[in-house]
Amino acid sequence: MNIFESDKEYIASTYNRFPVHLVNGKGSLVYDENGKEYIDMGSGIGVTSFGFADDEWQKAITAQIAKLQHTSNLYYTDPCVTLARKLCEKTGMSKVFFSNSGAEANECAIKAARKYAAEKKGKDYFTIVTLKNSFHGRTLTTLAATGQEHYHELFNPLTPGFAYVEAGNIDELKKTALETKAAAIMMECVQGEGGVIALDADFVTQTAEFAEENDIILIIDEVQTGNGRSGKLYSYMTYGIKPDIVSTAKGLAEGLPLGATLLGEKVKDVFGFGDHGSTFGGNPVCCAAAVSIIDRIDDNLLSEVRKKSSIIFEEFKDAPGVESVSGLGLMIGIKTVKPAGDVVKECMQNGVLCLTAKDKVRLLPALNIPEDVLKKAIDIIKKSLNP
Ligand code: PLP
């Protein structure tokens, strides 16, 4: 059996993979089994922010793996606490819980908000208000948080205690939060899986003010938008708000599994011993990898991200075959005249790997993609837009 047949035989069929067998890569270039070169404009869905096989990242991992690969959370290890300190110093958040994925980072955020509200206001304050068209993960609780009915079908009953409001409708949000005795409001500043749609700035600031006034925990899901992807370290910084909880994963450890839930002043001590945990969470190798990444997401890199973002917006906004361009930083959705799936297929044939989100072509290139490589990819994508 070749790899396509073996995969079909032995791997649960949850992923509709592209028919490409990738074997190695460096930076923003990746190669298949036949040596064909692709420019990567997807970074493993917003994960490999410094490209494939990044040298500093490799060095950090191999140095740590030669010392300790795992200890459990019963002992102290340096990379875990170093990373937590750096994240707190860079964000003004107070404490961190480490897990292994975005969904788990959100589970932790939801547990923290519910415990805070139960202790402060009463056990009937448990509802988490989220936005329609959101995406927060695949566990039964984060699916419940995800405001898209089609993900729920056939998996009911999900975790109860979620309510959904239209993004941008502040009156509906306030009414729902008060009526349901909300513990928290949870949102992505840019809805990624929902079609790369940045939330309206007034809606976000009004939500933050309302949450603050009513002592409702504000959770910002930075799983996809975080760690430099938006052009700021975290996307909420673009909106000038201060969340109570920030969840992140994806680009944090550049491909090693690591989720983080950043707890602000209000909730920093909400968890006591035994309230939450994870065998692998805060693993020293993953945390060492993340330290090597977070150290390099500085003003210089972030201004490069914003510059490359402008290049992409400029190149596509009036291009033939394009209806609209949306997003923030290097998280971009292009609504094309031709079906997005067809564009992505043609790009792949011509040596560029792109993604889709809903009916859009989605671009999530590495944050450090060289400008000439980016321009080459843009030219190839543009050629694929013609009907
Ligand atoms: N939250 C957001 C905004 C996401 O985009 C994703 C994944 O795409 C998740 C949560 C879930 O993350 P994971 O797949 O690491 O569990």
Side-chain angles (χ1 to χ4, degrees), residues 215-237:
D215 198 11
I216 295 170
I217 298 299
L218 179 62
I219 304 170
I220 300 295
D221 179 339
E222 297 271 4
V223 171
Q224 191 163 150
T225 50
N227 312 305
R229 171 104 355 234
S230 71
K232 296 272 185 183
L233 180 59
Y234 291 103
S235 67
Y236 73 81
M237 295 168 172

Side-chain angles (χ1 to χ4, degrees), residues 114 117-128 161 177-183:
R114 283 198 170 159
E119 288 177 340
K120 191 92 186 279
K121 298 178 172 177
K123 285 187 179 161
D124 48 340
Y125 282 78
F126 55 74
T127 300
I128 313 292
L178 295 175
E179 278 177 6
T180 60
K181 298 186 173 176

Side-chain angles (χ1 to χ4, degrees), residues 114 131 199 246 259 337 346:
R114 283 198 170 159
L131 301 183
L199 296 185
V246 173
V337 176
E346 207 169 310

Side-chain angles (χ1 to χ4, degrees), residues 45 101-104 106 135-137 188 193 221 223-224 249-250:
I45 322 187
S101 67
E104 284 172 275
N106 284 336
F135 186 85
H136 296 295
E188 309 149 87
E193 302 302 307
D221 179 339
V223 171
Q224 191 163 150
K250 284 197 186 278

